[in-house]
Amino acid sequence: MVNDKGADSGQLLTSRQLTALVVARAASCAGFFAVLPYLGLWLMDDRGLSGASAGLVVGASILANRAGGVLLVQLIHRLGLKASVGVGYLGAVVVFGVLGMGLRLPTYGWLVLAVLVGLFLAMATTAMKAQVAAFPPDQRLRGFSYLNMAVNAGSAVGPVIGGQLLEWQADRLPLSAALLDLVALAVVPALPGDWRAADRSGAPAPAGSTVGRRLPGRRFATFTLLVCGTWVAYAQVFDVLPAYLGDSVGTRELGLVFTLNAVLVVALQVPVSALSRRLLNHPRAGFGLLCLTANAVLALAVVLFGLGRSAGFGLVLTAMVLFTLSELVWSPLYDTQVGERRGELSTTAAYALAGVAWGSAESVGAWLGTLLVVHRSGPETLSGTAATPYWGGAALALLTGLALSWGGRHKSEKPLGGQEGNAHDVDVSARA
């Protein structure tokens, strides 16, 4: 029988809650990625902005989406996690609706709207991760695995929707995102947790509360910074690869490569995560070995991508299969570890800080990789600057795996009060 109390009662993640998490995350991601890849083009062609102004608007939206969780920590704790998810999606619906009203605004007007979209979606995403982190330890990896599957599904479907609308009726582009976020908003009542924040009752905070805690502990900071190496390697695939392989692999073939990634994630995330959970509990495996294996496979995939310009399309496909297998392990595993290593940070603050750090690492990796690829010495030169991001990314991934393997020999810190996943630990007044 399905029980809907979920995390707040310390019970298992129910099928209803799991379905709501997947639908909300997939729909919101599809809406964001239906607009983001085409936002600059839409602003220039349909709203008359210059290239520099359109780029500023797009960059501001991405930055707000990455860093917004940290800025909104206090507000999320005051509202509560479930209410924050609802407010985030409702705000995104309203702002996307305004974007689609056919307005003629100066650059700063579009800038404000783009930033608001990023902030509202960051609010919903951070609060949703904290909801999953509030579940019992043996259920968190499962929850984050489904979220990873939903993100990949949404980010694959979204650009297809946006591309078609851009050709058929460009004015409807933001409205499609508003409709998708409305779908996400509709399933919020089925998400885990209560609508009311834990601190609304006026009761005093317990001794050792996470209220007011701002700075991360050393263990959490070390883990978060080490994981940045994985995200730099990730950026060479998802952000730099089209520019790197542009001379040797056609656009259609490259699209198939990324479609393969999305299909494999949707098809394999659940069984791979089930295997990961068993390995985490195995006396001869555990977190360290899983991280080392996943990052070693990632490093191999990045090396194969680096060879792809001369070796051909078949090697690129093989590299994407390996890359996806590694992502299926490390992506939900890292999200789970954020909640377990947060120390005295509130759960939401921990996910917000980790999101900023990892988003910044991906951005820096993408910038450096693109810079080196654009100034490549020749299409077939493996020793020139063009392939440097791939050799460097592979080395970083392998070093990250080794470092996390060493750190994985130590047990995670217990959250405050010794109650891992306690809902009051999540909803106290210091949001993230």
Side-chain angles (χ1 to χ4, degrees), residues 62-278:
I62 295 172
L63 179 62
N65 184 252
R66 292 291 193 182
V70 171
L71 300 176
L72 298 171
V73 167
Q74 293 287 345
L75 178 59
I76 294 177
H77 275 288
R78 292 187 183 280
L79 292 175
L81 296 180
K82 192 168 185 174
S84 294
V85 176
V87 169
Y89 288 145
L90 177 61
V93 169
V94 172
V95 178
F96 276 128
V98 172
L99 282 169
M101 290 174 61
L103 303 175
R104 293 286 174 178
L105 300 174
T107 300
Y108 66 82
W110 296 113
L111 189 65
V112 169
L113 291 175
V115 168
L116 285 174
V117 164
L119 288 175
F120 278 124
L121 291 176
M123 182 181 193
T125 300
T126 306
M128 186 177 289
K129 285 190 174 184
Q131 284 181 312
V132 176
F135 277 85
D138 61 338
Q139 289 293 299
R140 290 177 202 153
L141 185 59
R142 181 185 179 213
F144 282 120
S145 298
Y146 274 88
L147 285 187
N148 186 51
M149 180 178 65
V151 168
N152 279 272
S155 60
V157 171
V160 175
I161 295 173
Q164 292 299 322
L165 284 174
L166 203 62
E167 289 186 10
W168 295 341
Q169 199 163 3
D171 286 342
R172 301 288 177 87
L173 185 63
L175 295 179
S176 68
L179 182 60
L180 287 163
D181 280 311
L182 192 60
V183 173
L185 180 63
V187 300
V188 169
L191 292 175
D194 296 325
W195 286 103
R196 190 176 53 152
D199 64 338
R200 287 186 185 174
S201 63
S209 169
T210 57
V211 175
R213 175 71 179 182
R214 295 289 189 276
L215 299 177
R218 184 180 65 178
R219 192 151 186 256
F220 173 81
T222 301
F223 168 75
T224 303
L225 292 175
L226 284 175
V227 169
C228 287
T230 300
W231 283 104
V232 170
Y234 173 92
Q236 309 317 309
V237 179
F238 261 83
D239 302 309
V240 180
L241 194 64
Y244 180 68
L245 295 179
D247 294 337
S248 54
V249 177
T251 304
R252 181 181 177 186
E253 287 78 11
L254 199 56
L256 290 174
V257 171
F258 287 106
T259 299
L260 175 65
N261 170 261
V263 170
L264 288 176
V265 169
V266 173
L268 298 179
Q269 182 66 82
V270 174
V272 169
S273 292
L275 177 61
S276 295
R277 289 198 299 272
R278 286 197 293 270

Side-chain angles (χ1 to χ4, degrees), residues 375-395:
H375 293 87
R376 58 184 180 269
S377 56
E380 303 299 333
T381 304
L382 295 177
S383 59
T385 58
T388 302
Y390 292 88
W391 315 145

Side-chain angles (χ1 to χ4, degrees), residues 99 137 366 395 416 426:
L99 282 169
L416 290 179
V426 175

